[in-house]
mmCIF file of all heavy atoms in Angstrom:
data_model
loop_
_atom_site.group_PDB
_atom_site.id
_atom_site.type_symbol
_atom_site.label_atom_id
_atom_site.label_comp_id
_atom_site.label_asym_id
_atom_site.label_seq_id
_atom_site.Cartn_x
_atom_site.Cartn_y
_atom_site.Cartn_z
ATOM 1 N N LEU P 43 84.113 91.060 100.713
ATOM 2 C CA LEU P 43 82.939 90.859 101.572
ATOM 3 C C LEU P 43 82.816 91.993 102.565
ATOM 4 O O LEU P 43 81.738 92.470 102.888
ATOM 5 C CB LEU P 43 82.991 89.472 102.274
ATOM 6 C CG LEU P 43 82.752 88.278 101.322
ATOM 7 C CD1 LEU P 43 83.149 86.970 102.022
ATOM 8 C CD2 LEU P 43 81.299 88.219 100.858
ATOM 9 N N PHE P 44 83.977 92.419 103.097
ATOM 10 C CA PHE P 44 83.923 93.582 104.030
ATOM 11 C C PHE P 44 83.395 94.824 103.349
ATOM 12 O O PHE P 44 82.566 95.545 103.905
ATOM 13 C CB PHE P 44 85.267 93.834 104.708
ATOM 14 C CG PHE P 44 85.165 94.995 105.629
ATOM 15 C CD1 PHE P 44 84.355 94.973 106.765
ATOM 16 C CD2 PHE P 44 85.883 96.179 105.367
ATOM 17 C CE1 PHE P 44 84.239 96.088 107.595
ATOM 18 C CE2 PHE P 44 85.768 97.292 106.175
ATOM 19 C CZ PHE P 44 84.948 97.220 107.308
ATOM 20 N N GLU P 45 83.887 95.029 102.090
ATOM 21 C CA GLU P 45 83.319 96.179 101.334
ATOM 22 C C GLU P 45 81.828 96.075 101.200
ATOM 23 O O GLU P 45 81.067 97.081 101.359
ATOM 24 C CB GLU P 45 83.889 96.196 99.905
ATOM 25 C CG GLU P 45 85.223 96.815 99.799
ATOM 26 C CD GLU P 45 85.688 96.870 98.309
ATOM 27 O OE1 GLU P 45 85.432 95.908 97.545
ATOM 28 O OE2 GLU P 45 86.377 97.837 97.943
ATOM 29 N N ALA P 46 81.315 94.841 100.991
ATOM 30 C CA ALA P 46 79.841 94.640 100.857
ATOM 31 C C ALA P 46 79.148 94.969 102.209
ATOM 32 O O ALA P 46 78.124 95.582 102.209
ATOM 33 C CB ALA P 46 79.558 93.255 100.386
ATOM 34 N N ILE P 47 79.826 94.563 103.289
ATOM 35 C CA ILE P 47 79.257 94.838 104.635
ATOM 36 C C ILE P 47 78.995 96.320 104.813
ATOM 37 O O ILE P 47 78.014 96.771 105.297
ATOM 38 C CB ILE P 47 80.173 94.260 105.754
ATOM 39 C CG1 ILE P 47 80.077 92.794 105.811
ATOM 40 C CG2 ILE P 47 79.838 94.916 107.114
ATOM 41 C CD1 ILE P 47 81.082 92.135 106.785
ATOM 42 N N THR P 48 79.999 97.107 104.357
ATOM 43 C CA THR P 48 79.934 98.586 104.565
ATOM 44 C C THR P 48 78.750 99.190 103.797
ATOM 45 O O THR P 48 78.403 100.348 104.043
ATOM 46 C CB THR P 48 81.238 99.281 104.235
ATOM 47 O OG1 THR P 48 81.468 99.140 102.808
ATOM 48 C CG2 THR P 48 82.427 98.748 105.010
ATOM 49 N N ALA P 49 78.202 98.450 102.850
ATOM 50 C CA ALA P 49 77.071 98.943 102.060
ATOM 51 C C ALA P 49 75.747 98.421 102.625
ATOM 52 O O ALA P 49 74.689 98.774 102.097
ATOM 53 C CB ALA P 49 77.228 98.556 100.566
ATOM 54 N N LEU P 50 75.791 97.566 103.633
ATOM 55 C CA LEU P 50 74.551 96.988 104.170
ATOM 56 C C LEU P 50 73.721 98.033 104.939
ATOM 57 O O LEU P 50 74.312 98.819 105.630
ATOM 58 C CB LEU P 50 74.866 95.852 105.138
ATOM 59 C CG LEU P 50 75.447 94.553 104.542
ATOM 60 C CD1 LEU P 50 75.928 93.650 105.671
ATOM 61 C CD2 LEU P 50 74.443 93.838 103.657
ATOM 62 N N TYR P 53 74.706 98.068 108.641
ATOM 63 C CA TYR P 53 76.052 98.444 109.077
ATOM 64 C C TYR P 53 76.237 99.977 108.845
ATOM 65 O O TYR P 53 76.567 100.381 107.756
ATOM 66 C CB TYR P 53 77.122 97.637 108.317
ATOM 67 C CG TYR P 53 78.497 97.714 108.949
ATOM 68 C CD1 TYR P 53 78.825 96.895 110.049
ATOM 69 C CD2 TYR P 53 79.455 98.575 108.487
ATOM 70 C CE1 TYR P 53 80.098 96.957 110.616
ATOM 71 C CE2 TYR P 53 80.718 98.675 109.025
ATOM 72 C CZ TYR P 53 81.032 97.830 110.100
ATOM 73 O OH TYR P 53 82.278 97.868 110.699
ATOM 74 N N THR P 56 80.430 102.859 108.631
ATOM 75 C CA THR P 56 81.187 103.446 107.555
ATOM 76 C C THR P 56 80.449 104.672 106.957
ATOM 77 O O THR P 56 81.087 105.743 106.678
ATOM 78 C CB THR P 56 81.363 102.384 106.379
ATOM 79 O OG1 THR P 56 81.835 101.214 107.027
ATOM 80 C CG2 THR P 56 82.346 102.881 105.380
ATOM 81 N N ARG P 57 79.158 104.530 106.779
ATOM 82 C CA ARG P 57 78.364 105.678 106.256
ATOM 83 C C ARG P 57 78.377 106.899 107.169
ATOM 84 O O ARG P 57 78.500 108.023 106.814
ATOM 85 C CB ARG P 57 76.929 105.265 105.954
ATOM 86 C CG ARG P 57 76.697 104.733 104.570
ATOM 87 C CD ARG P 57 75.238 104.491 104.301
ATOM 88 N NE ARG P 57 74.599 103.622 105.330
ATOM 89 C CZ ARG P 57 74.673 102.324 105.308
ATOM 90 N NH1 ARG P 57 75.313 101.669 104.279
ATOM 91 N NH2 ARG P 57 74.107 101.572 106.224
#
Side-chain angles (χ1 to χ4, degrees):
L43 289 167
F44 178 64
E45 276 183 325
I47 286 173
T48 65
L50 291 171
Y53 195 83
T56 312
R57 271 187 305 277

